[in-house]
């Protein structure tokens, strides 16, 4: 049985690929699926694609074509809740699509036909990511100094997703008002959670906070991705997989 690891952006995938043993690539639906062994586990690594539709299609292919036993999704996110700062890590416990609104036919945010708006991640997988993330953050990360970050933390809770890069203070304020429990916002995770639930597959989600989802959201993003988010994703995933092998 294969563990699927989805990376939202190329830098994160590129950080993991050198660790993949016996790598072989299969191409399907415009995506490269990298198969091999990672920290003692059979895995398939792939870019999710940006946005809910691309990520959902990728997740469905992993579940159907490669019969993935579980999915782990890494990426970046904008911080929403007070105290969720640049350089922190967020492990999702629940996911919701903040831009889904089929009212008045269905309550706002509810997925039609599913009877719910919130999708839970797998408790055991999420806990493994939390422990690994805390261990990674316990060691100094030199690149964080350039972003004025010290004492990064691990947060756990609700992550919301939508097909829009939230990059203004007004948008961020609206999300905090409407969804006060939301820790962070991204563009894919909740869609992957819906697919994982449809297939009955466990899911865990790790997000590096790259910005505060406001008017400064674009500042130094490529540098943060390369120097902080990608190494975080690699180190946390490898640490979590190593624990699962013990």
């Amino acid at each position: 049985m294969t563990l699927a690891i989805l990376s939202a952006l190329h830098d994160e995938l590129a950080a993991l690929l050198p660790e993949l043993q016996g790598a072989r690539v299969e191409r399907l639906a415009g995506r490269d699926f990298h198969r091999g062994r990672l920290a003692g586990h059979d895995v398939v690594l792939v870019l999710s694609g940006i946005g809910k539709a691309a990520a959902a299609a990728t997740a469905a292919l992993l579940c159907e074509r490669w019969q993935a036993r579980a999915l782990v999704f890494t990426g970046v996110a904008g911080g929403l809740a007070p105290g969720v700062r640049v350089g922190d890590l967020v492990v999702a416990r629940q996911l919701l699509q903040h831009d889904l609104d089929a009212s008045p036919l269905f309550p706002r945010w509810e997925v039609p036909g599913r009877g719910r708006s919130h999708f839970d991640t797998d408790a055991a997988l999420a806990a493994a990511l939390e422990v690994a993330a805390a261990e990674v953050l316990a060691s100094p990360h030199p690149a964080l100094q350039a972003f004025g970050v010290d004492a990064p933390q691990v947060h756990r809770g609700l992550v919301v997703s939508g097909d829009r890069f939230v990059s203004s203070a007004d948008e961020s304020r609206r999300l905090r008002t409407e969804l006060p429990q939301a820790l962070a916002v991204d563009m894919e995770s909740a869609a992957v959670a819906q697919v994982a639930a449809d297939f009955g597959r466990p899911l865990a989600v790790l997000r590096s906070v790259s910005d505060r989802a406001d008017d400064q959201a674009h500042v130094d993003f490529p540098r943060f991705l390369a120097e902080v988010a990608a190494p975080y994703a690699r180190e946390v995933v490898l640490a979590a997989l190593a624990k699962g092998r013990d």
Side-chain angles (χ1 to χ4, degrees):
M1 297 290 284
T2 299
L3 172 67
I5 301 174
L6 298 88
S7 300
L9 295 167
H10 181 267
D11 296 65
E12 295 164 324
L13 176 64
L16 278 172
L17 285 178
E19 308 291 337
L20 190 64
Q21 298 177 336
R24 55 196 185 279
V25 181
E26 296 182 43
R27 188 164 180 83
L28 180 64
R31 296 157 170 81
D32 288 330
F33 294 83
H34 304 261
R35 303 181 66 188
R37 298 276 291 176
L38 189 67
H41 297 263
D42 291 325
V43 301
V44 55
L45 312 180
V46 64
L47 281 177
S48 68
I50 296 174
K52 293 192 299 179
T58 304
L61 288 170
L62 288 166
C63 292
E64 177 65 21
R65 173 65 176 81
W66 279 276
Q67 293 293 301
R69 62 176 174 84
L71 296 87
V72 174
F73 193 13
T74 71
V76 297
L80 290 176
V84 179
R85 306 183 306 161
V86 172
D88 287 354
L89 292 173
V90 175
V91 177
R93 287 300 184 92
Q94 287 190 315
L95 296 145
L96 172 147
Q97 298 177 52
H98 69 78
D99 60 349
L100 180 57
D101 187 356
S103 61
L105 298 177
F106 299 90
R108 188 179 182 188
W109 304 312
E110 181 178 305
V111 177
R114 299 297 183 271
R116 56 175 168 158
S117 57
H118 293 68
F119 288 81
D120 295 333
T121 56
D122 181 77
L125 281 178
L129 282 185
E130 289 173 20
V131 171
E135 291 180 355
V136 169
L137 293 189
S139 300
H141 199 308
L144 289 179
Q145 297 178 1
F147 295 90
V149 175
D150 59 359
Q153 300 179 23
V154 180
H155 306 271
R156 56 202 58 79
L158 175 64
V159 173
V160 298
S161 307
D163 277 318
R164 179 173 176 80
F165 186 82
V166 178
S167 58
S168 75
D170 286 343
E171 288 179 285
S172 182
R173 190 179 304 111
R174 177 181 59 80
L175 285 175
R176 286 196 299 272
T177 299
E178 296 175 347
L179 295 162
Q181 300 303 313
L183 297 175
V185 58
D186 67 26
M187 296 181 64
E188 299 89 16
S189 297
V192 172
Q194 182 178 334
V195 173
D198 286 350
F199 279 90
R201 301 295 200 274
L203 168 70
V205 175
L206 173 76
R207 289 280 164 166
S208 302
V209 179
S210 60
D211 55 78
R212 279 291 302 171
D214 56 20
D215 299 295
Q216 301 301 314
H218 63 287
V219 176
D220 283 332
F221 178 80
R223 184 181 174 194
F224 182 91
L225 178 61
E227 297 181 12
V228 178
Y232 268 173
R234 179 188 65 242
E235 293 164 19
V236 173
V237 166
L238 290 176
L241 290 181
K243 290 182 180 299
R245 185 184 55 195
D246 294 341

